[in-house]
Amino acid sequence: MGESVRTLAYGAWPSPIDAALAAAHDGRPEDVGFVGDEVWWTAPRPTEGGRRALVRRHPDGTEEPVLPPPWNVRSRVIEYGGRPWAAVTTDAGPLVVFVNFGDQRLYAYRPGGAEPRPLTPVSPVGGGLRWVEPQVRPERGEVWCVLEEFTGDGPTDVRRLPVAVPLDGSAADDRGRLRELTGARHRFVTGPRVSPDGRRAAWLAWDHPRMPWDGTELIVADIGPDGTFRDARTAAGGPEESVAQVDWAPDGALLYASDRTGWWNLYRDGSPLCARDEEFGGPLWKLGQRWFAPLDSGVIAVLHGRGAAVLGILDPETGEVVDAAGPWTEFAPTLAAHGERVAGVGASPHSGYEVVELDTRTGRARAIGSLHEDVVDPAYHPRPEIRTFTGPDGRDIHAHLYPPHHPGCRAPEGTLPPYVIWAHGGPTTRSPLVLDLEIAYFTSRGIGVAEVNYGGSSGHGREYRNRLREQWGVVDVEDCAAVALALAEEGTADRRRLAVRGGSAGGWTSAASLATTDVYACGTVIYPILDLTGWGTGETHDFESRYLESLIGPYAEVPARYAERSPAELADRVTAPFVLLQGLDDVICPPVQCERFLARMAGRGVPHAYLTFEGEGHGFRRAETMVRALEAELSLYAQVFGLDPQDIPTLELTR
């Protein structure tokens, strides 16, 4: 290979990874579950209008979509959704209940039979009736799930509670046929988990202004003969204790993941099972996420670790954890168990997310669905490095470094590559260390990427998460800048060719970085938060409507801080070129924020582009959108950094 290596400038390396290839492999399988002996899951379909398909794996190993297009199995509860399907086996075959994204109704369906039939009505009020975490209870002829019901036209005119839906379809046009299992005592609830003897239910609940990673209550109630929940009481949790998940052991013991020690650890009836400075849970962004799953034998499948989450089997008698063997170094919080089998979704720096099954009797783990394929020669894959940088006050900053890499190209001696700092969304989440063709799209062309898990990110304990309390727009911006400058100072990156990019909360960090630092030559800002005052006073959805009270401070007490940190208020300080990408159907970070920001940029002569996408919400899902966005981002870097990428349209920058 040495003789065939060409010397080309960074950014001019020809790559087999184009935007269409990266878009086609965006997203991951989720919502894994067992239906009898089969494993089912939902999977992204970027080329099918961005829908999520429900997929089943037959005993012979073949995969089949359960529903054809345009059925889209996805919930909008709390806008981020959660587990949208459940199924049981019957003499007539599987009976599946699912949420259809377009109308948010709950449907029942028998694969191979007639069209899905609706179980719930459409409401003309506000955002209507929405459903998540269905559990089919054939013995009662019902589906138990969480109802999100809008009571008015405002985004916060909403109530949530566990509800029973008749399986016979009698509630399809009659709201009165829905049976409320308990009153709406809390603003937010998860789906009830029923004890093995059927006599108790347990769920999580929390109220504004807390987010679920700040503090939740674990509620336990008795189930009466009529199927309603009685004598509800708090078994764990509180304002400063986050319980991330609850379930029942086969013997009826209550299992839950709590961060009462500063780390999400697993407890059984209040006693710790494996006290470690590791995370056995995570931030509950979607209802129904599962970091642990009890097995019939009494052991517990767990996801655990610092930073990355790996799959292991916990023996509650000894507290020992034995990790599953295999190449997967990162697992998503979507575990399921059946008998002695465990199913999950795993990935690694060398493979994308795929459905993995572990047989705990043999210890054998294997990929069984949505299998990773090397769609390009792995020689073009990024070669990441796990790094810890030093930030202000000597604090640690965790990051993943992806240097430029191409098997057939090198840069001229004495030159340094451009680097893009990636700020993740959330902000209470993290960047996983997995193969991402969007990153490879840049690194294979000679552009480095650094993912920064800035202070406030999950995976490193509550103290690390709490660094962002009332410091959003400060700590995240400082940490990203510290990594960028450290890369330049150590001779890894070209100081004059640094960029910042991010989406959602990462879009905020990107825009705030352009407005408050001189570190970056340009930036990519994707469906961002730009105006804290507007976002915190009614311009977003209910789930995050008071998130800023912990990230910035209560608006009534520190109104000036909301203006002082908002990129929309600091537009006159932005001098670096940027591209702004926005979905027009986004109700979380609405387009009005971008429009307000751009109005204040008008006439200032800063090169920029604003691309909007009809039919896209918060997070791009359609292949054509992702292609346009990636190519626009690369074109921005090419123009600002003086690069020469091949075969992409030139992004028109206005002033």
Side-chain angles (χ1 to χ4, degrees), residues 216-482:
T216 58
E217 293 180 42
L218 193 171
I219 310 294
V220 177
D222 298 324
I223 301 176
D226 61 353
T228 57
F229 298 165
R230 303 175 178 180
D231 188 26
R233 59 268 187 197
T234 299
E240 295 296 326
E241 178 185 350
S242 170
V243 179
Q245 183 192 335
V246 62
D247 211 328
W248 300 92
D251 63 359
L254 191 64
L255 303 172
Y256 58 91
S258 165
D259 75 344
R260 62 181 57 163
T261 65
W263 298 86
W264 274 301
N265 277 191
L266 203 56
Y267 294 80
R268 175 187 166 96
D269 286 338
S271 298
L273 293 179
C274 182
R276 296 185 183 182
D277 288 351
E278 292 184 11
E279 303 285 34
F280 287 74
L284 190 67
W285 278 100
K286 295 183 177 183
L287 303 186
Q289 289 179 306
R290 289 172 62 79
W291 289 267
F292 69 86
L295 280 77
D296 290 346
S297 64
V299 299
I300 306 167
V302 295
L303 302 183
H304 72 104
R306 300 184 68 159
V310 297
L311 173 63
I313 299 298
L314 169 63
D315 184 339
E317 299 299 324
T318 65
E320 295 181 354
V321 179
V322 178
D323 290 339
W328 310 282
T329 55
E330 181 79 59
F331 277 80
T334 179
L335 289 184
H338 173 63
E340 299 309 312
R341 297 161 62 198
V342 177
V345 174
S348 79
H350 312 292
S351 60
Y353 285 102
E354 52 193 355
V355 180
V356 176
E357 181 181 86
L358 169 66
D359 186 332
T360 59
R361 294 166 299 185
T362 65
R364 182 189 177 202
R366 59 192 179 115
I368 62 167
S370 290
L371 300 179
H372 168 77
E373 297 180 39
D374 288 328
V375 293
V376 296
D377 187 333
Y380 291 92
H381 290 173
R383 296 182 176 179
E385 304 170 9
I386 299 175
R387 297 282 302 273
T388 301
F389 294 87
T390 301
D393 303 321
R395 63 179 182 248
D396 288 345
I397 306 168
H398 302 290
H400 304 147
L401 194 66
Y402 297 86
H405 173 71
H406 191 296
C409 292
R410 63 187 172 199
E413 289 289 335
T415 62
L416 293 175
Y419 258 81
V420 184
I421 303 299
W422 284 29
H424 63 70
T428 310
T429 180
R430 62 184 174 86
S431 295
L433 186 64
V434 301
L435 177 63
D436 184 340
L437 290 186
E438 281 199 6
I439 292 176
Y441 179 75
F442 294 103
T443 57
S444 61
R445 286 171 167 77
I447 301 171
V449 170
E451 293 181 314
V452 181
N453 285 315
Y454 47 80
S457 302
S458 57
H460 301 280
R462 190 175 185 113
E463 182 179 351
Y464 196 85
R465 295 201 313 274
N466 283 349
R467 287 184 187 177
L468 213 55
R469 285 206 170 202
E470 300 194 6
Q471 295 298 310
W472 196 37
V474 178
V475 165
D476 51 322
V477 170
E478 289 178 346
D479 285 2
C480 287

